[in-house]
Amino acid sequence: MLDYQIVWRGPVMDATGYGTASRGYALALDRLGLDVKIETYTWNRPYQEAESNDKQRLEQLISKNYDESKKKILIYHAPPSIVHTDEVVDFEHRILNTVWETEKLPSYWLPIIDKFDAVCVPCSLNVRAMKNSGVQIPVFLAPHGVDSQRFSPENKKLTLRGTEGKFVFVSVFDFQQRKNPETLLEAYWKEFKPSDQVVLVIKTYSDNQSEILEKINNYKKKLGFGDETAPLYVMTGTIEESQYRGIFNLGNAFVLPTRGEGVGIPFMEALSSGTPLIVTGWGGQMDYVNEINSFLVTSVA
């Protein structure tokens, strides 16, 4: 491998699930002593972290020069839907690293994936989906992980007004249909009254808090709840990484009845922080979630 330079193409500076995974993969290859050059792209959700050794190293690998004396291996960390196949031809070897949330791939992905020499996916559900969908190239399982020193029961809890003395449910997700926010809200409002000493803290990626609150109010009306319901605390936008980690320590339980996950990185982060899970018992997370470490939801609409 010393004769090769690895070109890692991924959103390493984004505050998204892809971004978190991309940072972890690229830095792990670098720690192994491999020659890594990062080509980064973005979905315009920059992660915020105080200066750290990892952040400095990422910046060095982004600004690093190409070694023209070495053959190049491209590892493209992206959904196939954004891959331009003409950008992968000038490499000695081409590996796609991607993720999906159901048992079958979109059919238009197949000719894109087959432009690569191999594909890496983070869960056994994805391995089956690739093979069952007719992917012709080799498929390898390359699981995501979580830094258990960053996400730890010893971390400082995030301080939020209105959560003191209450049982705190936390949920971290992108506010979209696949994440099933309506079932989360319905179950919470059915189970708890406004007078109960509970609060649901939702952290979502959108920068538009008024839009998220409007969606929540629309769900409330659609589900037939009145104005008086158990309390919510909604956090939007990107926050500094230490604050993000503190969300999991604030929670007495993490809950998300998702319809489908490729990995469920916040589930890993919650478990690493010592926070119990209430999650769907199906999906990519089932490689590490079980009835011993989590409370599984067995039926999701």
Side-chain angles (χ1 to χ4, degrees):
M1 286 296 294
L2 296 180
D3 295 332
Y4 288 88
Q5 184 173 53
I6 296 172
V7 177
W8 181 274
R9 187 177 295 168
V12 298
M13 304 304 277
D14 272 18
T16 61
Y18 256 103
T20 298
S22 216
R23 287 190 288 278
Y25 283 132
L27 289 170
L29 291 170
D30 180 56
R31 285 194 295 271
L32 287 171
L34 302 176
D35 184 358
V36 179
K37 157 67 183 172
I38 292 177
E39 295 179 350
T40 187
Y41 64 87
T42 182
W43 284 304
N44 297 314
R45 290 177 178 173
Y47 92 113
Q48 301 176 22
E49 182 171 18
E51 284 302 317
S52 65
N53 291 336
D54 282 353
K55 186 176 182 181
Q56 291 175 5
R57 187 56 181 159
L58 288 168
E59 291 169 347
Q60 291 170 356
L61 295 176
I62 291 170
S63 61
K64 182 178 182 177
N65 293 327
Y66 297 95
D67 189 336
E68 300 302 333
S69 69
K70 293 184 177 181
K71 298 176 182 179
K72 302 294 188 295
I73 299 174
L74 172 67
I75 305 180
Y76 205 146
H77 188 211
S81 56
I82 73 166
V83 171
H84 298 287
T85 54
D86 59 344
E87 297 177 346
V88 307
V89 294
D90 294 329
F91 291 87
E92 188 75 15
H93 301 287
R94 298 160 295 276
I95 299 171
L96 177 66
N97 188 313
T98 194
V99 63
W100 187 237
E101 297 87 17
T102 70
E103 293 177 329
K104 194 168 183 180
L105 306 181
S107 58
Y108 77 93
W109 277 21
L110 299 183
I112 301 171
I113 294 172
D114 286 336
K115 293 291 185 181
F116 290 83
D117 301 307
V119 57
C120 294
V121 293
C123 67
S124 54
L125 173 70
N126 284 180
V127 174
R128 294 193 299 272
M130 291 277 170
K131 294 180 178 179
N132 292 340
S133 298
V135 171
Q136 298 299 308
I137 61 175
V139 181
F140 296 96
L141 179 63
H144 290 347
V146 63
D147 188 335
S148 59
Q149 294 184 339
R150 287 174 177 261
F151 291 88
S152 163
E154 306 305 317
N155 285 347
K156 182 180 178 181
K157 293 182 180 181
L158 181 68
T159 301
L160 291 180
R161 183 179 299 176
T163 62
E164 302 89 348
K166 295 184 178 181
F167 189 99
V168 181
F169 296 95
V170 297
S171 195
V172 178
F173 60 95
D174 195 7
F175 212 97
Q176 56 173 280
Q177 192 267 352
R178 177 171 63 82
K179 300 292 184 175
N180 204 10
E182 68 273 25
T183 298
L184 170 65
L185 294 168
E186 182 179 17
Y188 176 63
W189 285 329
K190 277 186 175 179
E191 184 66 26
F192 300 106
K193 303 185 295 294
S195 58
D196 290 333
Q197 295 301 300
V198 298
V199 61
L200 171 60
V201 176
I202 294 176
K203 170 68 182 76
T204 188
Y205 297 114
S206 171
D207 292 322
N208 192 335
Q209 188 174 60
S210 61
E211 180 183 40
I212 300 300
L213 294 176
E214 182 180 1
K215 288 182 178 180
I216 289 173
N217 284 329
N218 288 339
Y219 281 135
K220 183 180 288 190
K221 293 175 184 177
K222 181 180 178 181
L223 295 167
F225 292 97
D227 292 335
E228 295 298 317
T229 51
L232 298 174
Y233 192 109
V234 179
M235 302 176 65
T236 55
T238 56
I239 58 176
E240 206 278 328
E241 283 291 295
S242 63
Q243 292 180 299
Y244 175 76
R245 293 191 288 270
I247 292 174
F248 298 98
N249 300 84
L250 171 67
N252 298 103
F254 182 100
V255 56
L256 187 64
T258 176
R259 290 186 170 97
E261 297 293 326
V263 178
I265 289 177
F267 304 166
M268 289 185 176
E269 294 167 341
L271 287 174
S272 186
S273 302
T275 305
L277 299 184
I278 305 171
V279 296
T280 307
W282 180 90
Q285 69 271 20
M286 297 309 293
D287 281 3
Y288 60 90
V289 166
N290 54 59
E291 292 180 348
I292 296 175
N293 63 21
S294 305
F295 300 94
L296 301 182
V297 179
T298 57
S299 178
V300 174

XYZ file of all heavy atoms in Angstrom, residues 19-93:
615
model
N -21.010 13.064 7.196
C -19.823 13.808 7.625
C -19.124 13.137 8.793
O -17.893 12.992 8.804
N -19.901 12.724 9.788
C -19.333 12.039 10.954
C -18.592 10.773 10.534
O -17.462 10.519 10.962
C -20.447 11.680 11.946
O -21.075 12.882 12.415
C -19.900 10.912 13.136
N -19.249 9.970 9.688
C -18.619 8.730 9.234
C -17.388 9.010 8.397
O -16.355 8.333 8.532
C -19.630 7.900 8.439
N -17.465 10.028 7.535
C -16.350 10.334 6.643
C -15.113 10.746 7.431
O -13.990 10.324 7.122
C -16.764 11.453 5.669
O -16.204 11.268 4.399
N -15.303 11.565 8.453
C -14.167 11.946 9.308
C -13.539 10.717 9.950
O -12.317 10.572 9.987
C -14.629 12.930 10.395
C -14.914 14.314 9.894
C -15.131 15.296 11.037
N -16.407 15.081 11.728
C -17.580 15.539 11.303
N -17.651 16.193 10.158
N -18.684 15.334 11.990
N -14.400 9.840 10.473
C -13.888 8.659 11.156
C -13.090 7.747 10.240
O -11.998 7.292 10.593
N -13.632 7.482 9.052
C -12.938 6.608 8.102
C -11.595 7.202 7.668
O -10.558 6.516 7.669
C -13.791 6.414 6.854
C -14.947 5.454 6.974
C -16.212 5.813 6.522
C -14.778 4.163 7.478
C -17.290 4.932 6.595
C -15.842 3.276 7.547
C -17.087 3.663 7.105
O -18.141 2.789 7.163
N -11.618 8.481 7.248
C -10.403 9.102 6.714
C -9.301 9.168 7.771
O -8.129 8.876 7.488
C -10.716 10.502 6.183
N -9.666 9.547 8.988
C -8.665 9.635 10.056
C -8.142 8.248 10.444
O -6.969 8.101 10.789
C -9.259 10.344 11.272
C -9.501 11.854 11.092
C -10.311 12.409 12.258
C -8.174 12.605 10.961
N -9.004 7.229 10.382
C -8.555 5.871 10.701
C -7.526 5.382 9.688
O -6.503 4.782 10.058
C -9.746 4.920 10.734
N -7.762 5.662 8.404
C -6.782 5.282 7.378
C -5.462 6.016 7.595
O -4.374 5.434 7.436
C -7.337 5.598 5.992
C -8.509 4.731 5.518
C -9.120 5.319 4.241
C -8.064 3.295 5.274
N -5.559 7.285 7.973
C -4.357 8.077 8.232
C -3.579 7.512 9.419
O -2.352 7.402 9.375
C -4.759 9.531 8.479
C -3.574 10.433 8.753
O -2.647 10.478 7.920
O -3.577 11.106 9.808
N -4.294 7.121 10.479
C -3.621 6.568 11.662
C -2.933 5.240 11.361
O -1.965 4.873 12.027
C -4.628 6.392 12.809
C -5.039 7.690 13.489
C -5.746 7.414 14.803
N -7.009 6.711 14.606
C -8.182 7.302 14.406
N -8.251 8.633 14.362
N -9.276 6.593 14.263
N -3.413 4.546 10.348
C -2.771 3.287 9.949
C -1.461 3.508 9.196
O -0.770 2.559 8.848
C -3.729 2.464 9.078
C -4.906 1.817 9.803
C -5.886 1.211 8.795
C -4.424 0.749 10.780
N -1.152 4.773 8.934
C 0.098 5.084 8.251
C -0.016 5.130 6.750
O 1.021 5.183 6.055
N -1.224 5.109 6.221
C -1.415 5.168 4.774
C -1.336 6.615 4.296
O -1.573 7.563 5.052
C -2.770 4.559 4.400
C -2.957 3.099 4.845
C -4.359 2.624 4.512
C -1.919 2.198 4.191
N -0.989 6.777 3.034
C -0.877 8.102 2.428
C -2.268 8.541 1.977
O -2.779 8.081 0.958
C 0.093 8.046 1.246
C 0.334 9.409 0.613
O -0.285 10.406 1.058
O 1.128 9.487 -0.347
N -2.903 9.431 2.750
C -4.284 9.836 2.501
C -4.327 11.302 2.080
O -3.738 12.168 2.741
C -5.163 9.637 3.750
C -6.606 10.090 3.466
C -5.139 8.184 4.207
N -5.001 11.564 0.989
C -5.290 12.917 0.526
C -6.816 13.065 0.484
O -7.504 12.236 -0.120
C -4.687 13.143 -0.860
C -5.332 14.251 -1.697
C -5.117 15.635 -1.126
C -5.843 16.687 -1.978
N -5.806 18.023 -1.350
N -7.361 14.092 1.149
C -8.806 14.286 1.188
C -9.241 15.290 0.122
O -8.675 16.375 0.006
C -9.278 14.781 2.574
C -9.084 13.678 3.618
C -10.732 15.220 2.530
C -9.455 14.096 5.018
N -10.248 14.887 -0.652
C -11.002 15.800 -1.509
C -12.391 15.930 -0.875
O -13.129 14.944 -0.805
C -11.152 15.260 -2.931
C -9.854 15.140 -3.686
C -10.049 14.582 -5.086
O -11.170 14.114 -5.394
O -9.084 14.595 -5.869
N -12.722 17.099 -0.385
C -13.971 17.233 0.351
C -15.048 17.907 -0.483
O -14.759 18.721 -1.367
C -13.749 18.020 1.660
O -14.939 17.993 2.447
C -13.366 19.460 1.389
N -16.286 17.527 -0.231
C -17.447 18.239 -0.765
C -18.378 18.514 0.410
O -18.151 18.024 1.522
C -18.159 17.435 -1.864
C -18.776 16.129 -1.418
C -20.074 16.095 -0.909
C -18.075 14.926 -1.507
C -20.658 14.908 -0.495
C -18.654 13.740 -1.094
C -19.947 13.726 -0.594
O -20.509 12.551 -0.178
N -19.430 19.289 0.215
C -20.269 19.676 1.342
C -21.732 19.758 0.949
O -22.073 20.022 -0.203
C -19.813 21.032 1.908
O -20.635 21.369 3.039
C -19.924 22.143 0.860
N -22.588 19.518 1.958
C -24.025 19.780 1.845
C -24.390 21.045 2.623
O -25.537 21.260 2.981
C -24.827 18.582 2.355
C -24.848 17.430 1.393
C -25.267 17.469 0.096
C -24.444 16.081 1.636
N -25.146 16.229 -0.482
C -24.644 15.351 0.434
C -23.944 15.406 2.739
C -24.353 13.988 0.322
C -23.649 14.057 2.623
C -23.862 13.361 1.427
N -23.373 21.860 2.887
C -23.559 23.170 3.517
C -24.151 23.078 4.925
O -24.969 23.911 5.328
C -24.427 24.077 2.627
C -23.764 24.379 1.294
O -22.578 24.703 1.247
N -24.520 24.245 0.214
N -23.682 22.078 5.657
C -24.006 21.975 7.080
C -22.695 21.785 7.844
O -22.391 20.695 8.329
C -24.949 20.798 7.350
C -26.359 21.016 6.807
C -27.200 19.793 7.052
N -28.563 19.961 6.586
C -29.471 19.002 6.556
N -29.136 17.790 6.962
N -30.694 19.228 6.117
N -21.886 22.813 7.945
C -20.552 22.657 8.534
C -20.609 22.296 10.014
O -21.393 22.873 10.772
C -19.917 24.033 8.316
C -21.069 24.977 8.183
C -22.160 24.195 7.533
N -19.779 21.318 10.385
C -19.738 20.973 11.801
C -18.865 21.971 12.540
O -17.943 22.564 11.984
C -19.277 19.530 11.981
C -17.801 19.277 12.172
C -17.320 18.799 13.384
C -16.888 19.482 11.129
C -15.974 18.522 13.563
C -15.538 19.211 11.310
C -15.091 18.735 12.522
O -13.763 18.476 12.702
N -19.208 22.184 13.800
C -18.537 23.192 14.600
C -17.833 22.521 15.768
O -18.474 21.905 16.613
C -19.553 24.220 15.120
C -20.321 24.940 14.020
C -21.369 25.879 14.561
O -21.305 26.316 15.705
N -22.363 26.192 13.740
N -16.522 22.653 15.762
C -15.735 22.083 16.853
C -14.567 23.000 17.136
O -13.957 23.561 16.211
C -15.241 20.684 16.501
C -14.465 20.045 17.648
C -14.159 18.572 17.411
O -14.230 18.117 16.264
O -13.839 17.893 18.392
N -14.300 23.170 18.426
C -13.118 23.939 18.807
C -11.885 23.250 18.233
O -11.904 22.065 17.898
C -13.026 24.023 20.334
N -10.823 24.006 18.101
C -9.595 23.446 17.534
C -9.185 22.171 18.280
O -9.148 22.127 19.506
C -8.466 24.469 17.600
C -8.581 25.549 16.543
C -8.595 24.995 15.121
O -7.789 24.080 14.827
O -9.420 25.457 14.316
N -8.941 21.129 17.537
C -8.543 19.845 18.106
C -7.520 19.215 17.182
O -7.342 19.645 16.034
C -9.756 18.923 18.235
O -10.262 18.599 16.955
N -6.861 18.175 17.674
C -5.877 17.486 16.838
C -6.535 16.886 15.600
O -5.969 16.934 14.503
C -5.189 16.393 17.656
C -4.286 16.957 18.733
O -3.810 18.091 18.626
N -4.024 16.178 19.767
N -7.740 16.324 15.765
C -8.429 15.721 14.619
C -8.798 16.775 13.580
O -8.623 16.550 12.374
C -9.699 14.999 15.077
C -9.399 13.646 15.710
O -8.225 13.216 15.665
O -10.332 13.022 16.238
N -9.306 17.904 14.025
C -9.689 18.953 13.082
C -8.469 19.478 12.336
O -8.505 19.678 11.110
C -10.400 20.087 13.805
C -10.959 21.149 12.861
C -11.750 22.206 13.621
C -12.338 23.230 12.654
N -13.096 24.288 13.369
N -7.376 19.696 13.061
C -6.150 20.167 12.422
C -5.638 19.145 11.408
O -5.191 19.506 10.313
C -5.080 20.440 13.487
C -5.393 21.642 14.365
C -4.381 21.804 15.479
O -3.390 21.076 15.564
N -4.616 22.771 16.354
N -5.737 17.848 11.765
C -5.248 16.818 10.852
C -6.118 16.747 9.594
O -5.592 16.581 8.485
C -5.234 15.457 11.558
C -4.578 14.353 10.713
C -3.169 14.730 10.296
N -2.536 13.691 9.479
C -1.505 13.909 8.679
N -0.992 15.143 8.563
N -0.968 12.925 7.993
N -7.415 16.885 9.742
C -8.300 16.909 8.581
C -7.937 18.056 7.645
O -7.876 17.889 6.423
C -9.755 17.037 9.019
C -10.389 15.802 9.659
C -11.712 16.163 10.303
C -10.576 14.679 8.640
N -7.705 19.224 8.213
C -7.335 20.388 7.403
C -6.018 20.154 6.676
O -5.852 20.552 5.517
C -7.264 21.629 8.294
C -8.642 22.066 8.804
C -8.568 23.131 9.885
O -7.453 23.353 10.428
O -9.614 23.740 10.192
N -5.067 19.477 7.347
C -3.788 19.150 6.696
C -3.988 18.181 5.532
O -3.373 18.335 4.477
C -2.829 18.548 7.727
C -2.342 19.531 8.777
C -1.590 18.841 9.901
O -1.478 17.613 9.951
N -1.082 19.628 10.841
N -4.856 17.185 5.731
C -5.083 16.198 4.671
C -5.857 16.793 3.496
O -5.706 16.344 2.359
C -5.837 14.995 5.234
C -5.083 14.170 6.290
C -5.970 13.057 6.836
C -3.791 13.593 5.725
N -6.668 17.819 3.757
C -7.372 18.505 2.675
C -6.403 19.352 1.847
O -6.463 19.373 0.611
C -8.511 19.380 3.247
C -9.628 18.493 3.817
C -9.086 20.314 2.173
C -10.668 19.262 4.617
N -5.492 20.029 2.518
C -4.544 20.907 1.813
C -3.320 20.162 1.269
O -2.515 20.728 0.530
C -4.077 22.024 2.749
O -3.409 21.489 3.883
N -3.201 18.907 1.602
C -2.061 18.088 1.194
C -1.972 17.985 -0.331
O -2.981 17.948 -1.034
C -2.230 16.685 1.804
C -1.114 15.700 1.531
C -1.434 14.399 2.265
C -0.337 13.369 2.080
N -0.630 12.127 2.856
N -0.763 17.917 -0.847
C -0.551 17.779 -2.292
C -0.743 16.339 -2.748
O -0.571 15.388 -1.972
C 0.863 18.237 -2.669
C 1.064 19.724 -2.472
O 0.137 20.515 -2.655
N 2.270 20.115 -2.095
N -1.078 16.180 -4.008
C -1.097 14.860 -4.624
C 0.343 14.420 -4.865
O 1.193 15.231 -5.224
C -1.859 14.894 -5.943
C -3.321 15.245 -5.803
C -3.751 16.559 -5.958
C -4.266 14.266 -5.519
C -5.085 16.895 -5.823
C -5.606 14.590 -5.389
C -6.011 15.907 -5.540
O -7.344 16.236 -5.408
N 0.615 13.149 -4.655
C 1.936 12.584 -4.948
C 1.891 11.963 -6.344
O 1.338 10.874 -6.536
C 2.300 11.531 -3.910
C 3.742 11.069 -4.027
O 4.312 11.197 -5.139
O 4.296 10.569 -3.036
N 2.434 12.682 -7.309
C 2.345 12.241 -8.701
C 3.170 10.989 -8.969
O 3.013 10.351 -10.018
C 2.791 13.375 -9.634
C 1.950 14.651 -9.513
C 0.481 14.401 -9.789
O 0.164 13.450 -10.533
O -0.367 15.149 -9.255
N 4.045 10.614 -8.038
C 4.863 9.418 -8.243
C 4.118 8.136 -7.849
O 4.612 7.032 -8.109
C 6.155 9.514 -7.427
O 5.884 9.429 -6.035
N 2.940 8.277 -7.225
C 2.204 7.117 -6.727
C 0.926 6.880 -7.527
O 0.294 7.821 -8.008
C 1.841 7.307 -5.245
C 3.022 7.309 -4.299
C 2.553 7.414 -2.851
C 3.731 7.340 -1.879
N 3.279 7.423 -0.468
N 0.559 5.612 -7.614
C -0.743 5.270 -8.162
C -1.832 5.715 -7.180
O -1.594 5.809 -5.979
C -0.839 3.766 -8.418
C 0.164 3.259 -9.445
C 0.071 1.751 -9.579
C 1.100 1.227 -10.576
N 1.044 -0.247 -10.695
N -3.025 5.952 -7.714
C -4.097 6.509 -6.880
C -5.240 5.498 -6.698
O -5.679 4.848 -7.639
C -4.669 7.782 -7.516
C -3.637 8.883 -7.763
C -3.097 9.431 -6.447
C -2.228 10.661 -6.666
N -0.995 10.369 -7.428
N -5.703 5.413 -5.442
C -6.922 4.670 -5.114
C -7.975 5.686 -4.691
O -7.774 6.430 -3.723
C -6.689 3.668 -3.968
C -5.627 2.637 -4.363
C -8.003 2.979 -3.591
C -5.250 1.712 -3.214
N -9.075 5.730 -5.398
C -10.173 6.614 -5.023
C -11.145 5.866 -4.118
O -11.608 4.776 -4.452
C -10.920 7.097 -6.269
C -12.219 7.884 -5.991
C -11.900 9.223 -5.323
C -13.013 8.095 -7.267
N -11.445 6.455 -2.957
C -12.552 5.980 -2.123
C -13.574 7.110 -2.097
O -13.331 8.171 -1.517
C -12.110 5.603 -0.701
C -10.976 4.568 -0.747
C -13.304 5.062 0.079
C -10.481 4.143 0.627
N -14.693 6.880 -2.760
C -15.721 7.904 -2.929
C -16.812 7.627 -1.903
O -17.567 6.670 -2.013
C -16.288 7.822 -4.347
C -16.879 9.107 -4.883
C -16.772 9.426 -6.238
C -17.564 10.000 -4.065
C -17.304 10.593 -6.767
C -18.096 11.171 -4.568
C -17.969 11.456 -5.917
O -18.512 12.609 -6.429
N -16.892 8.484 -0.892
C -17.864 8.298 0.183
C -19.068 9.183 -0.104
O -19.072 10.373 0.199
C -17.231 8.659 1.525
C -18.099 8.327 2.700
N -18.073 9.058 3.861
C -19.026 7.352 2.888
C -18.931 8.549 4.715
N -19.522 7.508 4.148
N -20.109 8.587 -0.696
C -21.235 9.392 -1.159
C -22.389 8.494 -1.555
O -22.196 7.315 -1.872
C -20.818 10.233 -2.371
N -23.609 9.042 -1.591
C -24.706 8.317 -2.228
C -24.442 8.248 -3.731
O -23.956 9.225 -4.319
C -25.936 9.198 -1.938
C -25.503 10.203 -0.924
C -24.026 10.353 -1.053
N -24.726 7.136 -4.383
C -24.521 7.061 -5.834
C -25.242 8.159 -6.601
O -24.806 8.539 -7.694
C -25.070 5.670 -6.182
C -24.852 4.868 -4.953
C -25.121 5.822 -3.820
N -26.322 8.680 -6.052
C -27.103 9.702 -6.754
C -26.324 10.978 -7.018
O -26.693 11.754 -7.904
C -28.367 10.039 -5.950
O -28.032 10.451 -4.636
N -25.239 11.232 -6.270
C -24.468 12.457 -6.510
C -23.131 12.173 -7.193
O -22.346 13.085 -7.423
C -24.240 13.250 -5.209
C -23.202 12.561 -4.307
C -25.538 13.499 -4.465
C -22.695 13.455 -3.193
N -22.871 10.913 -7.509
C -21.602 10.542 -8.131
C -21.644 10.844 -9.628
O -22.579 10.466 -10.323
C -21.296 9.046 -7.913
C -20.097 8.605 -8.741
C -21.052 8.758 -6.435
N -20.609 11.528 -10.108
C -20.417 11.731 -11.545
C -19.373 10.705 -11.998
O -18.199 10.792 -11.639
C -19.953 13.158 -11.838
C -20.938 14.205 -11.415
N -22.108 14.435 -12.095
C -20.934 15.066 -10.364
C -22.783 15.404 -11.502
N -22.104 15.798 -10.442
N -19.810 9.760 -12.790
C -18.921 8.644 -13.124
C -17.714 9.075 -13.943
O -16.690 8.379 -13.939
C -19.698 7.548 -13.876
O -20.350 8.128 -15.018
C -20.741 6.916 -12.975
N -17.792 10.219 -14.627
C -16.620 10.675 -15.382
C -15.508 11.166 -14.465
O -14.380 11.381 -14.905
C -17.020 11.767 -16.379
C -17.649 12.989 -15.716
O -18.057 12.884 -14.535
O -17.745 14.036 -16.374
N -15.817 11.319 -13.167
C -14.816 11.774 -12.204
C -14.037 10.618 -11.572
O -13.183 10.850 -10.725
C -15.488 12.590 -11.099
C -16.153 13.879 -11.579
C -16.862 14.587 -10.445
O -17.069 13.967 -9.381
O -17.226 15.758 -10.628
N -14.342 9.393 -11.940
C -13.692 8.251 -11.295
C -12.782 7.472 -12.240
O -12.121 6.524 -11.808
C -14.747 7.292 -10.688
C -15.699 8.044 -9.782
C -15.508 6.539 -11.771
N -12.712 7.881 -13.499
C -11.991 7.056 -14.485
C -10.474 7.140 -14.348
O -9.772 6.201 -14.700
C -12.416 7.439 -15.922
C -13.876 7.089 -16.150
C -12.179 8.928 -16.188
N -9.946 8.238 -13.841
C -8.491 8.435 -13.826
C -7.840 7.912 -12.553
O -6.927 8.537 -12.007
C -8.163 9.919 -14.009
C -8.572 10.429 -15.379
O -8.534 9.633 -16.335
O -8.938 11.609 -15.488
N -8.288 6.772 -12.069
C -7.728 6.180 -10.862
C -7.389 4.717 -11.135
O -8.083 4.031 -11.890
C -8.712 6.277 -9.693
C -8.922 7.691 -9.198
C -9.884 8.509 -9.783
C -8.158 8.195 -8.160
C -10.070 9.810 -9.338
C -8.335 9.492 -7.708
C -9.289 10.301 -8.303
N -6.318 4.254 -10.483
C -5.908 2.859 -10.661
C -6.977 1.912 -10.112
O -7.279 0.881 -10.706
C -4.577 2.628 -9.934
C -3.944 1.279 -10.190
C -3.318 1.195 -11.576
O -3.121 2.253 -12.214
O -3.017 0.057 -11.994
N -7.549 2.280 -8.937
C -8.616 1.490 -8.321
C -9.680 2.455 -7.801
O -9.365 3.568 -7.341
C -8.082 0.626 -7.180
C -7.016 -0.341 -7.605
N -7.282 -1.468 -8.351
C -5.679 -0.326 -7.385
C -6.162 -2.130 -8.575
N -5.164 -1.451 -8.003
